[in-house]
Amino acid sequence: MSNTKLIATGALALLLGTTAASADTWRYAFEEALEEVQGKFAQKFKEEVEANSDHSVQLFPFGTLGESDSILEQTQSGILQFVDQSPGFTGALIPEAQVFFGPYLLPQDNEKLATFFEESKAINEMFPSLYAEQGLELLTMFPEGEVMMTTTEPVEGPPDLNEVKFRVMTNPLLVENYKAFGATPTPLPWGEVYGALQTGIIQGQENPAFFIESTKMYEVTDYITRAGHNNFTTAVMANKDFYDGLSDEDKAVVDNAIDAAFEYIIDYQKGLTEESLAKIKEAKPDMTITELTDEQRQPFMETASSVEAKFLEIGGDQAEAILNQFKADLEAVGAE
Ligand code: 6CS
């Protein structure tokens, strides 16, 4: 952690009144607004915890405590008890978490996807120990929707991404993914993306439709391209010492609240992609939304094996074991 961040974190601890978890209030930060998917999940978690215990949950949406890296550090240090951070930002800390950025690994079928997250051994049995090494209790991972490219120029194939500075989350494998797609990947924290598109520093970025709509990405780009290459994944974690120190009863409260929020968020997202795209069209009728054909997707799909090879190189000690289990889990739900 940099000195500035340490000072900021210390000041925040003072501001929040304590560095340890207070008995009654659990603090939970996430990377999105209250009415976006991570916020909806967090609200459901809070509702469940408060209905089933004497604890209350204080929610910190994006913009209240800093960028994604910062809220994760605050959770590792115990200032926050819970955090939602996408593997898109966790990849440098837990290299194996980059597995989510192999193009065309995850299915787009929502039911298969939900079953995969629920039943995957890689996610539920292998990842927890990797997160634990970083002081984090991995509570759940869940999908947030098909990732789409939004750009200032049309994209029908990799040559159209040539010279396009394309913003990605700060994840080395995602950088490799977009290099393989032919773009010039530009890792940036979320808070800088709108301004960078507006000023022309970058010419593209990717996100699920609900996020493109709610954050008004359509104001600063003109084309949405559905290449079907990924589905946005996120992870909810607790500070490990905090979680380990909970009574069995409180652990059950947390675990049950997570399960209820998982069910809720899968259900909440039914139809959300199409609704969000319709809202974008309504707000900006000129926005071009293109679903690439199988033929157009082919050259993007052909990059998958080279990105996978890169994952085995940079994905940490467990990369191969995680990838193999991940694929076996996908096969088990009929999604490979
Ligand atoms: O692209 C990003 O950085 C953000 N995208 C989503 C869907 N959630 C949070 C994350 O920061």
Side-chain angles (χ1 to χ4, degrees):
M1 207 186 302
S2 71
N3 283 345
T4 335
K5 274 190 188 155
L6 266 177
I7 293 164
T9 303
L12 183 74
L14 286 177
L15 193 76
L16 294 171
T18 173
T19 51
S22 95
D24 304 308
T25 304
W26 294 342
R27 292 184 285 272
Y28 179 144
F30 44 99
E31 303 169 318
E32 296 173 8
L34 205 54
E35 297 305 320
E36 292 168 347
V37 172
Q38 290 183 15
K40 288 283 184 189
F41 182 99
Q43 287 189 62
K44 181 67 179 170
F45 176 80
K46 172 181 163 75
E47 186 188 307
E48 291 287 320
V49 167
E50 293 179 353
N52 295 300
S53 75
D54 292 336
H55 299 286
S56 57
V57 179
Q58 191 178 3
L59 299 180
F60 294 94
F62 179 79
T64 54
L65 292 180
E67 287 283 358
S68 202
D69 284 357
S70 173
I71 55 175
L72 189 78
E73 281 166 6
Q74 289 165 37
T75 308
Q76 286 177 296
S77 65
I79 293 169
L80 297 171
Q81 285 70 54
F82 297 96
V83 69
D84 185 332
Q85 187 193 54
S86 153
F89 295 104
T90 321
L93 191 70
I94 304 171
E96 287 83 352
Q98 298 177 97
V99 73
F100 291 97
F101 298 95
Y104 299 98
L105 256 186
L106 290 178
Q108 295 298 354
D109 179 287
N110 287 338
E111 261 175 52
K112 281 185 186 163
L113 204 53
T115 315
F116 167 71
F117 276 85
E118 263 172 324
E119 295 180 1
S120 163
K121 289 196 175 113
I123 292 176
N124 299 299
E125 292 171 24
M126 294 173 81
F127 270 122
S129 58
L130 296 168
Y131 279 73
E133 282 169 23
Q134 303 301 330
L136 298 161
E137 176 76 24
L138 178 62
L139 297 171
T140 191
M141 288 185 172
F142 62 88
E144 293 197 47
E146 177 191 332
V147 167
M148 302 173 190
M149 305 180 202
T150 67
T151 48
T152 53
E153 297 291 333
V155 177
E156 287 173 3
D160 297 320
L161 288 172
N162 186 25
E163 308 270 298
V164 172
K165 289 203 194 76
F166 199 100
R167 179 270 176 173
V168 291
M169 293 180 282
T170 54
N171 179 300
L173 199 70
L174 188 53
V175 168
E176 295 301 328
N177 176 167
Y178 270 90
K179 263 191 211 162
F181 278 5
T184 305
T186 312
L188 284 177
W190 173 248
E192 292 175 31
V193 180
Y194 189 100
L197 281 166
Q198 198 173 30
T199 53
I201 292 169
I202 55 169
Q203 297 87 38
Q205 66 91 36
E206 61 160 29
N207 255 307
F210 84 87
F211 204 65
I212 296 172
E213 191 274 321
S214 58
T215 61
K216 299 193 173 5
M217 282 296 109
Y218 56 82
E219 290 178 349
V220 284
T221 49
D222 296 314
Y223 298 87
I224 294 180
T225 306
R226 301 176 71 166
H229 63 292
N230 211 346
N231 200 289
F232 195 96
T233 296
T234 199
V236 182
M237 299 153 261
N239 171 285
K240 184 149 174 50
D241 289 341
F242 156 78
Y243 183 84
D244 288 346
L246 291 176
S247 64
D248 287 349
E249 200 185 326
D250 278 344
K251 274 188 190 138
V253 166
V254 169
D255 296 349
N256 292 338
I258 289 287
D259 289 348
F262 181 93
E263 295 293 322
Y264 165 81
I265 209 63
I266 296 298
D267 194 53
Y268 170 79
Q269 291 183 77
K270 285 186 184 141
L272 186 61
T273 294
E274 297 310 323
E275 273 165 40
S276 305
L277 291 175
K279 280 191 195 165
I280 292 171
K281 264 301 211 189
E282 201 183 316
K284 182 173 168 177
D286 290 356
M287 193 79 189
T288 305
I289 304 174
T290 309
E291 178 150 6
L292 297 187
T293 62
D294 288 349
E295 205 181 320
Q296 287 171 318
R297 285 179 184 195
Q298 200 53 38
F300 288 111
M301 291 176 111
E302 281 164 12
T303 66
S305 56
S306 71
V307 180
E308 202 173 289
K310 197 72 195 176
F311 172 69
L312 295 176
E313 219 178 278
I314 66 172
D317 296 344
Q318 303 261 346
E320 196 177 349
I322 289 271
L323 184 63
N324 289 341
Q325 187 61 53
F326 206 83
K327 287 184 171 178
D329 297 343
L330 284 165
E331 211 181 320
V333 297
E336 217 201 9

